Amino acid sequence: MSSGTYTSQLSKWLLTSPPIEWALKNARELLIGTLRQGPIPQHVAFEMDGNRRFAQNHHIEAIEGHNLGFEALARVLEICYKCGVKVVTVYAFSIENFNRPKSEVGGLMKMAKIKLEQLCQHGALLDRYGACIRVLGERDLIPADVLPFVDRAVEMTKHNKNAVLNICFPYTSRAEMTAAVKATVEEFSAPPNPPQTPFSEARITQAIKSNQLKHSDSQPSREGSPDLNGKSDVDDSVSTDTTLNPDSPHHETQDSTHKPAEFKDKETITAETLSSHMYTGDCPPLDIFVRTSGVMRLSDFMLWQCHEDTHIFFLKCFWPEFDLWHFVPVLLEWQWRQKQMGREGRLGRRVKTE
Ligand SMILES: CC(C)=CCC/C(C)=C/CC/C(C)=C/COP(=O)(O)OP(=O)(O)O
């Protein structure tokens, strides 16, 4: 055995020995407790890069690197939620990743099914910290056999209100921004309350319901039918006497009160309007963005969410290596900058553009 291998075996043995493990666990808790004394970021995003290079360096399969990447994610989530971070957003699969070898894409999808199931079990991490899962991205691109796992994970955790885990899968910022622009255009092209004409969809529905009510009046009440003695499920604001006859008095009233549809004023569209249509619409502004593996690019992730005060950190370690010891300097630097911004009176400006 070479001296290098001997030293690494010895340090492994030492680190996993019960007293050292106990001391390290306590040191971690102490560190997290200390960090909690300062300001805590509300929203942190991780670009989990370097799984394959880590695998290559350790002579293991690429999918093993991704599996270790998931373990790193579980560690980091625990740290974030313990510290009090409300929203964690992770880049789990880019739309571009579909161009990878079929076997790797298949392996990642299989892993997603297993991990999504693990993550939302009772007593598991998200349950312990009261965090819900949201899957952000192009739902249409999720393979049919993976979709039920995604929906189950979201459904099983939706009652959790303390924190959020946004899993971007399959995602790119450009697709997100395109969808947000489309949704905004739709919102501003449609009248908020379409005027009711005798031939409008709402009036026709009401007329049909009204007819059904008249018929069911003469029949014994059945399960599921409207409560004829009390409230019916017909909107009170529209009379059940309404008919489709254009000569009816209601028609005259509609005509005399008919106003042109009111469209929303496009001049009122702001950055906040677009933000509200992003997948992260109801999340706090992004405080910290971390990318591992030494690559200094955003790679189509959180392009809209990175605002003037988002602190972007590019770390050298590969994602499977990422742990509290890499995250502490990030948090400390963010806390220090927050204090500086507070002194300069710049806190609270965030993403507002007016
Ligand atoms: C619940 C759930 C779905 C969890 C996801 C787990 C996870 C860690 C996914 C990351 C996948 C990925 C494409 C990482 C990028 O590394 P890379 O393959 O680009 O590595 P490289 O830069 O070394 O090539």
Side-chain angles (χ1 to χ4, degrees):
M1 195 187 282
S2 74
S3 68
T5 320
Y6 179 76
T7 317
S8 106
Q9 294 271 10
L10 185 70
S11 59
K12 216 177 201 175
W13 176 81
L14 267 175
L15 287 175
T16 52
S17 68
I20 303 281
E21 235 178 27
W22 178 85
L24 278 175
K25 189 172 175 279
N26 281 296
R28 288 172 79 94
E29 296 299 322
L30 196 70
L31 209 46
I32 291 172
T34 314
L35 286 167
R36 279 179 68 100
Q37 301 308 308
I40 293 297
Q42 293 297 286
H43 187 175
V44 181
F46 294 102
E47 190 154 354
M48 311 179 285
D49 198 18
N51 292 346
R52 289 187 302 183
R53 275 168 286 163
F54 177 86
Q56 208 172 13
N57 289 353
H58 289 78
H59 312 290
I60 54 175
E61 295 285 322
I63 198 66
E64 225 7 75
H66 292 310
N67 265 310
L68 292 169
F70 177 80
E71 282 179 24
L73 172 61
R75 283 197 300 270
V76 169
L77 285 178
E78 179 129 37
I79 298 164
C80 285
Y81 295 145
K82 254 188 193 162
C83 283
V85 173
K86 289 284 173 230
V87 181
V88 176
T89 303
V90 295
Y91 207 1
F93 196 87
S94 149
I95 295 174
E96 304 302 319
N97 288 155
F98 280 115
N99 298 324
R100 290 190 176 192
K102 229 175 155 188
S103 59
E104 190 184 342
V105 174
L108 279 167
M109 291 299 156
K110 194 172 161 200
M111 187 178 103
K113 289 198 234 176
I114 297 169
K115 302 305 181 191
L116 282 169
E117 200 149 55
Q118 275 178 12
L119 270 173
C120 58
Q121 293 304 313
H122 288 297
L125 188 101
L126 298 183
D127 194 39
R128 275 187 277 128
Y129 291 96
C132 65
I133 289 184
R134 290 181 190 171
V135 178
L136 315 184
E138 304 295 291
R139 185 178 163 87
D140 294 351
L141 297 178
I142 299 177
D145 60 320
V146 182
L147 217 42
F149 290 82
V150 166
D151 291 340
R152 206 162 34 243
V154 173
E155 181 63 29
M156 278 183 74
T157 59
K158 71 174 185 201
H159 59 277
N160 291 341
K161 302 283 183 234
N162 291 347
V164 176
L165 168 61
N166 287 325
I167 302 177
C168 296
F169 175 94
Y171 170 96
T172 60
S173 285
R174 278 161 199 276
E176 177 186 27
M177 290 192 279
T178 308
V181 169
K182 273 189 197 158
T184 308
V185 169
E186 264 166 34
E187 185 191 333
F188 281 76
S189 310
N193 293 310
Q196 290 207 347
T197 70
F199 304 108
S200 73
E201 201 180 314
R203 288 286 294 274
I204 293 169
T205 311
Q206 291 299 335
I208 293 168
K209 280 188 178 174
S210 151
N211 259 345
Q212 282 171 348
L213 280 180
K214 277 179 193 154
H215 284 302
S216 59
D217 246 349
S218 54
Q219 285 172 13
S221 180
R222 272 171 298 160
E223 205 188 338
S225 66
D227 175 6
L228 300 180
N229 299 321
K231 280 187 238 153
S232 78
D233 63 352
V234 177
D235 183 357
D236 288 345
S237 63
V238 180
S239 159
T240 52
D241 283 342
T242 305
T243 67
L244 296 179
N245 179 5
D247 296 330
S248 74
H250 208 109
H251 179 243
E252 278 166 34
T253 322
Q254 282 288 326
D255 254 0
S256 55
T257 56
H258 184 267
K259 282 195 214 127
E262 278 185 26
F263 289 90
K264 285 190 171 180
D265 181 1
K266 292 181 180 63
E267 291 306 314
T268 61
I269 296 176
T270 61
E272 281 74 39
T273 318
L274 288 172
S275 289
S276 70
H277 285 296
M278 297 290 159
Y279 299 140
T280 53
D282 57 353
C283 296
L286 184 61
D287 293 311
I288 295 179
F289 177 106
V290 175
R291 181 176 188 161
T292 52
S293 92
V295 176
M296 294 161 90
R297 282 183 276 121
L298 300 190
S299 298
D300 226 341
F301 182 48
M302 301 282 102
L303 295 190
W304 180 266
Q305 289 79 2
C306 282
H307 56 88
E308 58 177 345
D309 290 327
T310 303
H311 296 282
I312 300 178
F313 295 86
F314 295 112
L315 306 182
K316 285 230 164 64
C317 66
F318 293 130
W319 178 254
E321 298 166 324
F322 191 77
D323 200 355
L324 181 66
W325 319 112
H326 300 95
F327 198 33
V328 165
V330 167
L331 286 174
L332 285 176
E333 186 174 332
W334 182 83
Q335 290 186 333
W336 178 75
R337 288 206 204 160
Q338 288 302 107
K339 276 187 193 140
Q340 243 191 353
M341 282 164 69
R343 257 182 253 129
E344 292 163 10
R346 296 209 310 121
L347 270 187
R349 276 171 63 200
R350 296 289 168 85
V351 81
K352 295 220 180 326
T353 50
E354 67 278 356

